[in-house]
Amino acid sequence: MCAGVATLAIAACHSDSTGPGDGGSPLPPGIGLQLNPFITSGLSSPVFLAQPLDDGRVFVVEQGGRIRVVRDSVLQTTPFLDLSTRVLSGGERGLLSVAFHPQYATNHFFYVYFTTQTNGDIRIERFTTTSNAEVADPATSKLILTAPHSTYPNHNGGLLAFGLDGMLYAGLGDGGSGGDPLGNGQNFNSVLGSLLRLDVDHGDPYAIPADNPFVGQANHRGEVWAKGLRNPWRYAFDAPTGLLYIADVGQGAHEEVDVVAANRAGLNYGWNVMEGLSCYNASTCTQTGFELPLIDYGHNGPCSITGGYVYRGSAIPAIRGHYFYSDYCAGFLRSFRYQNGVAVDQKDWGLTTTKVTSFGVDFAGELYMMSGDTILKVAPAS
């Protein structure tokens, strides 16, 4: 179980059920949460939030193509970056996330994921800030990777994140429509329907890590870290436990959360043979070789899972180590704690909002939810 990525910075094979600094503790009786307004006006379709430095600035991605700055809880007028003339936005398309390099404070590199104005293809590009740290320079654009996505407008994936090993991960959807008609979910020669792992500190524009699972295999893309994903819109790494949480959007019946050690390479999450814990569009199927989800919930109000993060802040110690998620349609706030391969302390917090597109986390580990054109902050009940 402990074999895998030798360079992983955080061990992923120890027990994760002992305390707040590790996997978390059971929820105490009577604990409550509330959703406090953070930004209530001035934003247009926020879909991501991040805070790379402890400098008072929070960065918010707008689907239409801008990255906005919130400084000391005040939304700034001037965008950090404006790609609106290059981004095809609407539905599941747009500017979908930003990832700041682990050495952003010194190299000023950040990476964005968007669908192109010309045909909807996926592009991952690197940019650099100018001498003015409040504004990035669009002219510093460097193409990292592109993937064809012009046939259907949905299932673009959308998240970039640096992993515990310092590599850049990208979650790409299966290419769209319903049921994966393009067959990308199980096509290892396609980057679609995959979680990619890139070394952006070597090569030009990147190097394929030598320990990626399919390097050198015929008809397999070396960039692929994991396969069989339908639309991994949001996923998250948890450093204290070395775990990777993937919230994969389902087809018409199931939504799922997969939880695995982040250093487990070459996993196949089963789409389009499997949807959640069930066979897709068949009464039986061979599940051998597939990684089954930890959480599977159905469509009776919910429609599309929005994955969040494991809470690692200090404002609410009782929920530290618990993973939070929502649903675009149902707008609930739910959580669970991972312990020895099982989801324990599953809880619906009795809070609902609308059109939850994403979660975000600030430098202190506190959680935010993007709801329509607003941003809410998860806080202890007053």
Side-chain angles (χ1 to χ4, degrees):
M1 291 293 292
C2 291
V5 182
T7 58
L8 193 65
I10 304 294
C13 299
H14 55 72
S15 170
D16 57 354
S17 58
T18 57
D22 200 323
S25 298
L27 294 170
I31 177 87
L33 299 176
Q34 63 188 34
L35 299 175
N36 289 343
F38 179 62
I39 300 295
T40 59
S41 64
L43 288 172
S44 177
S45 300
V47 293
F48 193 67
L49 176 153
Q51 186 178 21
L53 304 174
D54 188 15
D55 63 359
R57 294 185 301 165
V58 172
F59 296 84
V60 178
V61 175
E62 292 181 320
Q63 185 178 3
R66 298 188 300 177
I67 300 177
R68 307 290 300 279
V69 176
V70 177
R71 177 178 287 282
D72 299 324
S73 301
V74 177
L75 180 65
Q76 304 300 298
T77 302
T78 303
F80 177 68
L81 180 69
D82 189 346
L83 299 178
S84 54
T85 60
R86 300 183 56 205
V87 171
L88 181 60
S89 178
E92 297 179 19
R93 286 170 162 165
L95 179 61
L96 304 180
S97 71
V98 60
F100 294 88
H101 193 280
Q103 280 77 52
Y104 175 70
T106 54
N107 66 20
H108 311 300
F109 291 160
F110 66 96
Y111 301 77
V112 298
Y113 186 119
F114 66 96
T115 51
T116 63
Q117 181 70 249
T118 51
N119 58 7
D121 283 354
I122 294 167
R123 284 179 73 89
I124 298 170
E125 295 187 7
R126 189 191 77 192
F127 290 86
T128 309
T129 54
T130 64
S131 56
N132 177 5
E134 301 299 304
V135 181
D137 184 0
T140 62
S141 167
K142 179 177 179 63
L143 176 63
I144 303 299
L145 183 142
T146 185
H149 207 296
S150 60
T151 305
Y152 301 108
N154 57 338
H155 303 180
N156 299 282
L159 182 64
L160 293 175
F162 280 91
L164 308 177
D165 51 8
M167 301 297 174
L168 180 64
Y169 289 75
L172 280 69
D174 67 6
S177 190
D180 193 16
L182 300 177
N184 288 314
Q186 295 299 316
N187 179 5
F188 286 77
N189 202 31
S190 172
V191 295
L192 298 176
S194 309
L195 183 65
L196 308 184
R197 179 175 181 258
L198 312 175
D199 181 356
V200 293
D201 292 327
H202 300 91
D204 187 11
Y206 62 87
I208 296 175
D211 53 359
N212 271 11
F214 306 114
V215 171
Q217 295 187 27
N219 300 315
H220 287 66
R221 287 290 295 263
E223 295 93 338
V224 172
W225 176 256
K227 201 62 186 171
L229 294 164
R230 182 179 177 274
N231 194 31
W233 166 240
R234 294 293 181 249
Y235 56 90
F237 295 96
D238 181 44
T241 59
L243 294 174
L244 167 62
Y245 293 71
I246 303 176
D248 197 15
V249 179
Q251 180 63 52
H254 299 270
E255 303 297 312
E256 71 179 71
V257 181
D258 305 284
V259 185
V260 300
N263 61 359
R264 289 184 62 197
L267 297 181
N268 188 332
Y269 292 97
W271 175 253
N272 68 348
V273 179
M274 303 286 297
E275 182 192 7
L277 290 168
S278 300
C279 298
Y280 173 69
N281 206 26
S283 57
T284 62
C285 60
T286 300
Q287 301 180 14
T288 303
F290 294 146
E291 185 71 26
L292 299 183
L294 189 77
I295 293 287
D296 175 328
Y297 69 86
H299 288 194
N300 185 14
C303 71
S304 178
I305 190 169
T306 301
Y309 296 89
V310 175
Y311 179 79
R312 292 294 176 189
S314 58
I316 324 171
I319 65 171
R320 204 173 294 141
H322 293 246
Y323 173 80
F324 285 79
Y325 65 102
S326 186
D327 185 279
Y328 180 79
C329 293
F332 54 64
L333 181 64
R334 293 179 181 175
S335 67
F336 65 84
R337 179 169 60 90
Y338 181 87
Q339 178 177 293
N340 300 326
V342 179
V344 299
D345 293 321
Q346 296 191 53
K347 185 172 178 63
D348 189 318
W349 291 88
L351 303 171
T352 57
T353 183
T354 60
K355 297 181 179 178
V356 180
T357 57
S358 190
F359 283 74
V361 64
D362 65 18
F363 193 84
E366 304 301 328
L367 287 179
Y368 301 78
M369 296 173 69
M370 271 107 280
S371 173
D373 289 333
T374 67
I375 300 177
L376 307 170
K377 186 174 184 179
V378 178
S382 57

